[in-house]
Amino acid sequence: AQTVTQSQPEMSVQEAETVTLSCTYDTSESNYYLFWYKQPPSRQMILVIRQEAYKQQNATENRFSVNFQKAAKSFSLKISDSQLGDTAMYFCAFMKPRYNNNDMRFGAGTRLTVKP
Amino acid sequence: GAGVSQSPRYKVAKRGQDVALRCDPISGHVSLFWYQQALGQGPEFLTYFQNEAQLDKSGLPSDRFFAERPEGSVSTLKIQRTQQEDSAVYLCASSLVTSGETQYFGPGTRLLVL
């Protein structure tokens, strides 16, 4: 079974600075997808960024980028120019597409606080 | 367009009561997932529908949990004889097709069993 580990339960960063959230995963599969989701306090989970394992190029979405190291099974999220609205729980998730399911396996999350 | 909606947003039940949680996925989305999120944890998979077919229910914790999606759109998660350990946020997610698609989440139903 695939497992996802987020080793940083909590992190904080000053507004406008850069922060990196760590994620490692364990799988024997070669074809899979990785995601970072953001869950603001009392609000719903939204997608931040996704990465297809077959793509070597790291995904980027505006201020958010990933460092995908397939051999090391590492998938970290970098947030540049942090904003107060980035304060949230961040979850790393793994998906192995199968014919009968595409459920995601989530890490325990990292609580990020952006300080003014 | 409208996102995934869930109702009720909050539910308080006495131990032993039955509850029904509703999910309205994004229109046209084939895949629908239910997840359970305990306090301070990441979501855990419960069950998966492709249209009206329940293809995977391996994550349902007991036979007290039952889910359906009879017409391939709205889904209901039912919990019979609720127990305190059922207290959690129940998340619904949908995706347009199947393989590798991004899942879009609803706001969740927070269930508290007293």
Side-chain angles (χ1 to χ4, degrees):
Chain A
Q2 292 82 12
T3 58
V4 179
T5 302
Q6 294 180 250
S7 59
Q8 304 151 315
E10 294 188 19
M11 292 193 72
S12 64
V13 63
Q14 291 296 133
E15 196 175 6
E17 294 188 346
T18 295
V19 64
T20 298
L21 308 184
S22 301
C23 173
T24 59
Y25 57 94
D26 182 26
T27 185
S28 58
E29 304 288 343
S30 59
N31 179 33
Y32 51 87
Y33 299 81
L34 296 164
F35 303 81
W36 278 98
Y37 278 87
K38 167 186 176 181
Q39 189 174 43
S42 301
R43 294 178 61 187
Q44 67 196 77
M45 197 168 311
I46 58 175
L47 178 70
V48 175
I49 201 165
R50 60 175 275 157
Q51 174 82 42
E52 292 86 351
Y54 63 85
K55 290 186 177 179
Q56 293 186 337
Q57 186 173 6
N58 289 325
T60 299
E61 286 289 340
N62 300 315
R63 298 183 295 108
F64 299 88
S65 61
V66 298
N67 183 6
F68 174 46
Q69 300 289 329
K70 191 171 184 179
K73 298 179 184 176
S74 171
F75 184 61
S76 61
L77 174 69
K78 185 173 80 170
I79 306 174
S80 304
D81 185 25
S82 297
Q83 300 177 0
L84 296 179
D86 295 334
T87 293
M89 283 289 289
Y90 286 81
F91 292 98
C92 177
F94 173 100
M95 177 201 291
K96 164 58 184 171
R98 290 171 283 153
Y99 77 95
N100 67 337
N101 200 347
N102 291 275
D103 65 291
M104 290 189 291
R105 306 300 167 96
F106 288 85
T110 295
R111 184 177 303 278
L112 176 67
T113 302
V114 180
K115 298 180 178 179
Chain B
V4 179
S5 61
Q6 293 185 245
S7 61
R9 293 292 310 278
Y10 303 92
K11 177 70 178 177
V12 179
K14 292 182 179 179
R15 189 163 59 92
Q17 278 186 331
D18 297 348
V19 298
L21 313 180
R22 177 188 170 104
C23 171
D24 279 90
I26 294 172
S27 178
H29 276 199
V30 168
S31 296
L32 186 146
F33 304 82
W34 284 98
Y35 293 87
Q36 180 188 59
Q37 186 177 21
L39 188 63
Q41 298 296 317
E44 292 191 355
F45 168 75
L46 293 177
T47 188
Y48 166 64
F49 290 87
Q50 189 176 119
N51 295 308
E52 69 278 3
Q54 188 176 23
L55 298 188
D56 191 336
K57 53 182 180 180
S58 62
L60 296 176
S62 77
D63 58 7
R64 297 185 295 105
F65 287 70
F66 171 76
E68 60 182 4
R69 193 186 186 197
E71 297 180 358
S73 55
V74 170
S75 177
T76 304
L77 176 66
K78 298 179 179 178
I79 309 173
Q80 298 176 325
R81 304 181 303 281
T82 52
Q83 304 294 313
Q84 286 188 322
E85 61 263 29
D86 300 335
S87 296
V89 176
Y90 291 85
L91 297 172
C92 176
S94 70
S95 64
L96 182 60
V97 285
T98 54
S99 182
E101 280 291 322
T102 295
Q103 294 179 23
Y104 297 90
F105 283 81
T109 294
R110 186 176 297 275
L111 173 65
L112 177 62
V113 181
L114 301 176

